[in-house]
């Protein structure tokens, strides 16, 4: 069982020591990774995914529960540490939702009972109902993302979930992160979307391939995050209304304050 | 010198991941020579030349590209040695699902596209089942669940292989590939043997017969119902 991981800093692209020497992330925590394109976000993630032991370009070292992971933990493909979710991912399998989830559960040695749990959880994240009989490939972007989140939370047993830019997902983003963290995952979000970035516990700022700063989310930011989340839910609600052919009458933007 | 043989269907991302991996070797001052074997056409040589790696191409035309690669391995090794390379990298189109080009001491890398459907690992045959390393590409386009199912299917076919999930666009996973290359064994031509014996010409179609009518066919013939017979001398 993974309680926490520790990232021990290495060197940036220029070979200088990274300013951040150590980042500890605990189970159930949500951590942001921010920085411009090319700042080294992907290689940080790759280091975590491979459980780097000063053997990658950055010379970072990843500890699991304060210890060096075993060779088996590093190489066994069934023990991959990181599950990923991103905007570009789609379901391509030509199957029904129910059959697909059963197959995934079987592959992971999980019980078939998970299937209903995944579908129910997914339905709490999107306004468009998902049914087991639905074909995977006809799901909307929002439904697909909701199902992916629920599936990762319940069936995938990778302890770390990496979320890469799900800005326009059409799902309750806030709830999605909560669900993952609530299932005991370490959640890392690469994002510049303030709805997501400000609900993290802290964020790693990347620059020139190195971890430049570790910023703890301030109480003010957390307050702001709650408001942003309300706006986000408000937008989603409007979206559902428009989709269902309703006429939008009263717009209570002032209620958001 | 180490030999790395990379096989995979066209478009699976062999060149893309190799470019990233070879760059990472260049950063460590290690030299590679690349041979690209294809059937009819390739412009991969231009892509490899761009990163400053000596490249040669071989077109197998109507011959199985794996057979063709095997006949030419000796010359390729000689050429790469003349270049004073640390690595000879052979990229070959895995079109023939009966053959696998890997030799005993090479690092056998199978590049396989995760968007090709969860049953693909069961279909591709010896170039996956006899590989040391399966590099799964294009995982950025499918769900985590499908990646995990894909991974499981690969292990069904080749329980011993190491799996790297790589991205040919971002280069994710490619440094890991470079690290596996560093662990490969030295190539030794005299002892080099194929891991999987290649089916050679087994019927008259293999050697140029074009008539479809059954009465013209000789050799080992197998019917769709599984019935098999040897017809001929
Ligand atoms: N989305 C995505 N595209 C990729 C990936 N790897 C390769 N490609 C693209 O797939 C196409 C074929 O790649 P290439 O390396 O030429 O394949 P090869 O024929 O096996 O050498 C190119 O357009 C690549 O940019 C990947 O991991 N993700
Ligand atoms: Mg190619
Ligand atoms: Zn062949
Ligand atoms: Zn034949």
């Amino acid at each position: 069982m993974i309680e926490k991981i520790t990232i021990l800093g290495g060197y940036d692209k220029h070979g200088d020591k990274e300013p951040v020497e150590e980042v500890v992330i605990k189970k159930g925590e949500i951590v942001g990774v921010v920085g411009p394109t090319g700042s080294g976000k992907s290689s940080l993630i790759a280091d975590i995914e491979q459980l780097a032991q000063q053997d990658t370009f950055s010379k970072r070292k990843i500890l699991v529960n304060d210890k060096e992971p075993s060779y088996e933990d590093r190489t066994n493909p069934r023990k991959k540490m990181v599950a990923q979710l991103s905007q570009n991912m789609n379901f391509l399998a030509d199957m029904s939702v129910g059959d697909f989830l059963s197959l995934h559960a079987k592959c992971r040695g999980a019980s078939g009972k998970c299937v209903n749990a995944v579908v129910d959880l997914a339905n709490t994240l999107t306004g468009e109902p998902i049914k087991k009989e639905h074909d995977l490939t006809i799901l909307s972007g929002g439904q697909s993302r909701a199902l992916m989140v629920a599936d990762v939370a319940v069936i995938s047993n990778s302890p770390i979930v990496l979320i890469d830019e799900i800005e326009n997902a059409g799902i309750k983003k806030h709830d999605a992160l909560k669900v993952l963290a609530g299932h005991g995952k370490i959640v890392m979000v690469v994002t510049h979307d303030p709805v997501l970035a400000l609900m993290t516990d802290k964020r790693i700022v990347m620059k020139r391939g190195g971890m430049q700063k570790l910023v703890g989310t301030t109480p003010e930011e957390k307050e702001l995050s709650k408001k942003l989340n309300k706006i986000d839910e408000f937008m989603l609600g409007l979206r559902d209304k428009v989709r269902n052919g309703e006429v939008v009458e009263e717009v209570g933007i002032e209620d958001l304050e | 010198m180490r030999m790395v043989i990379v096989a995979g269907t066209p478009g699976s991302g062999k060149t893309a991941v190799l470019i990233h991996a070879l760059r990472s070797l260049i950063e460590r001052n290690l030299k590679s020579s690349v041979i690209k074997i294809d059937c009819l056409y390739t412009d991969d040589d231009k892509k490899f030349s761009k990163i400053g790696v000596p490249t040669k191409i071989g077109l197998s035309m109507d011959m199985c590209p794996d057979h063709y690669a095997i006949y030419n391995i000796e010359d390729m090794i000689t050429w790469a040695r003349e270049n004073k390379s640390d690595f000879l990298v052979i990229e070959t189109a895995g079109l023939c699902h009966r053959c696998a080009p890997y030799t005993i001491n090479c690092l056998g890398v199978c590049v396989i596209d995760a968007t090709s459907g969860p049953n693909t690992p069961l279909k591709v045959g010896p170039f996956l089942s006899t590989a040391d390393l399966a590099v799964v590409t294009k995982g950025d386009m499918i769900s985590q669940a499908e990646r995990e199912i894909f991974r499981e299917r690969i292990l069904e076919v080749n329980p011993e292989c190491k799996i790297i999930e790589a991205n040919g666009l971002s280069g994710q996973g490619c440094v890991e590939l470079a690290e596996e290359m560093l662990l490969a064994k030295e190539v030794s031509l005299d002892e080099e043997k194929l891991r999987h014996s290649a089916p050679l010409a087994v019927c008259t179609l293999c050697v140029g017969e074009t008539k479809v009518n059954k009465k013209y066919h000789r050799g080992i013939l197998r019917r769709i119902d599984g019935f098999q017979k040897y017809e001929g001398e």
Side-chain angles (χ1 to χ4, degrees):
Chain A
M1 200 60 204
I2 293 190
E3 295 300 325
K4 65 169 167 179
I5 62 164
T6 310
I7 308 168
L8 298 177
Y11 299 86
D12 70 12
K13 275 183 196 155
H14 301 266
D16 300 325
K17 232 176 150 20
E18 293 185 277
V20 177
E21 288 179 3
E22 185 183 285
V23 182
V24 180
I25 312 174
K26 298 198 192 80
K27 198 168 108 177
E29 249 184 335
I30 306 174
V31 177
V33 181
V34 299
T37 309
S39 60
K41 294 179 300 231
S42 310
S43 59
L44 176 64
I45 298 308
D47 283 343
I48 296 170
E49 180 156 37
Q50 292 170 50
L51 297 174
Q53 296 301 312
Q54 299 178 324
D55 51 1
T56 60
F57 191 74
S58 70
K59 299 278 181 292
R60 290 185 189 112
K61 185 168 181 159
I62 312 295
L63 303 179
V64 176
N65 298 338
D66 294 320
K67 286 197 285 284
E68 280 179 21
S70 68
Y71 181 77
E72 157 80 1
D73 283 344
R74 295 192 68 200
T75 52
N76 184 339
R78 290 193 177 92
K79 290 191 178 173
K80 284 261 177 193
M81 293 287 289
V82 179
Q84 295 198 35
L85 274 170
S86 93
Q87 186 72 36
N88 302 329
M89 288 172 186
N90 288 296
F91 286 117
L92 298 180
D94 194 4
M95 288 172 132
S96 73
V97 169
D99 289 348
F100 177 75
L101 292 174
S102 305
L103 174 63
H104 186 208
K106 200 170 139 232
C107 277
R108 301 261 45 162
S111 133
K113 285 187 205 135
C114 298
V115 174
N116 289 330
V118 173
V119 175
D120 292 346
L121 187 57
N123 276 313
T124 67
L125 300 175
T126 171
E128 306 163 79
I130 304 169
K131 296 207 180 82
K132 278 201 285 189
E133 313 74 77
H134 281 158
D135 274 334
L136 266 187
T137 47
I138 59 136
L139 297 182
S140 73
Q143 287 173 317
S144 300
R145 233 56 64 198
L147 197 61
M148 284 180 200
V149 170
D151 170 86
V152 164
V154 177
I155 300 180
S156 292
N157 45 13
S158 303
I160 303 170
V161 183
L162 168 72
I163 301 180
D164 202 348
E165 297 171 66
I166 52 163
E167 272 84 3
N168 313 309
I171 59 166
K172 298 177 189 162
K173 292 178 256 194
H174 197 269
D175 292 0
L177 292 203
K178 280 268 153 70
V179 157
L180 293 169
H183 278 76
K185 305 280 183 186
I186 287 173
V187 183
M188 297 190 75
V189 219
V190 178
T191 187
H192 303 130
D193 177 353
V195 179
L196 294 175
L198 299 185
M199 77 167 288
T200 61
D201 300 295
K202 55 194 172 203
R203 48 190 191 269
I204 303 170
V205 182
M206 301 300 298
K207 195 176 168 188
R208 296 192 315 173
M211 299 186 288
Q212 192 69 21
K213 266 198 302 193
L214 188 62
V215 180
T217 311
T218 64
E220 292 77 20
E221 285 179 332
K222 287 205 168 140
E223 266 315 299
L224 181 58
S225 162
K226 280 186 197 151
K227 285 187 194 157
L228 290 176
N229 181 39
K230 275 193 187 157
I231 296 176
D232 197 47
E233 296 214 326
F234 175 74
M235 294 292 289
L236 271 178
L238 284 182
R239 212 175 134 132
D240 285 340
K241 279 205 173 117
V242 172
R243 183 188 300 110
N244 297 332
E246 291 170 40
V247 177
V248 182
E249 285 163 352
E250 195 100 15
V251 179
I253 291 182
E254 21 341 301
D255 298 347
L256 294 171
E257 272 307 309
Chain B
M1 189 175 70
R2 295 162 177 142
M3 181 161 73
V4 181
I5 301 182
V6 182
T9 47
S12 57
K14 299 180 295 295
T15 306
V17 294
L18 273 176
I19 298 256
H20 287 288
L22 297 185
R23 269 212 201 104
S24 138
L25 292 173
I26 292 168
E27 278 168 13
R28 301 170 211 220
N29 291 319
L30 292 166
K31 276 193 70 179
S32 306
S33 289
V34 175
I35 309 249
K36 164 66 201 212
I37 304 288
D38 217 315
C39 296
L40 302 175
Y41 169 83
T42 181
D43 60 0
D44 283 351
D45 48 329
K46 295 196 191 87
K47 299 182 198 158
F48 287 114
S49 304
K50 257 193 203 147
I51 60 164
V53 172
T55 309
K56 263 195 178 179
I57 52 177
L59 295 179
S60 66
M61 307 312 281
D62 55 351
M63 185 182 256
C64 158
D66 292 331
H67 277 85
Y68 179 77
I70 294 157
Y71 299 138
N72 287 289
I73 278 187
E74 184 164 350
D75 292 343
M76 300 193 238
I77 292 177
T78 310
W79 173 69
R81 286 218 164 103
E82 281 165 13
N83 291 340
K84 301 205 166 19
S85 294
D86 301 288
F87 292 95
L88 164 61
V89 179
I90 304 172
E91 176 184 327
T92 167
L95 293 171
C96 171
H97 292 176
R98 303 172 307 169
C99 296
Y102 316 124
T103 63
I104 300 286
N105 292 308
C106 82
L107 177 72
V109 181
C110 166
V111 177
I112 181 164
D113 172 349
T115 65
S116 59
N119 292 328
T120 302
L122 309 178
K123 294 178 197 161
V124 294
F127 80 74
L128 172 60
S129 62
T130 62
D132 299 300
L133 186 62
V135 174
V136 181
T137 54
K138 308 196 191 180
D140 56 313
M141 296 166 73
I142 61 165
S143 62
Q144 176 69 25
E146 283 160 292
R147 280 194 296 280
E148 289 175 6
I149 294 167
F150 205 79
R151 205 186 283 160
E152 206 57 37
R153 286 280 150 84
I154 290 174
L155 292 172
E156 262 172 53
V157 174
N158 185 347
E160 299 302 316
C161 82
K162 186 175 162 137
I163 300 178
I164 294 180
E165 290 181 5
N167 185 322
L169 302 180
S170 72
Q172 189 190 335
C174 298
V175 173
E176 235 180 308
L177 170 59
E179 265 142 31
E180 287 298 319
M181 290 170 67
L182 288 166
L183 299 176
K185 296 192 191 97
E186 282 288 311
V187 60
S188 105
L189 190 54
D190 285 334
E191 289 158 35
E192 223 49 61
K193 269 172 105 177
L194 286 179
R195 289 186 201 177
H196 179 83
S197 55
L200 254 168
V202 292
C203 71
T204 35
L205 295 176
C206 300
V207 293
E209 179 59 78
T210 53
K211 293 198 185 82
V212 169
N213 192 311
K214 226 195 252 171
K215 68 182 179 208
Y216 296 107
H217 298 172
R218 299 286 180 275
I220 298 169
L221 308 177
R222 186 180 301 153
R223 286 200 325 223
I224 205 161
D225 60 8
F227 179 76
Q228 182 170 307
K229 64 171 176 181
Y230 178 78
E231 184 83 26
E233 324 263 282

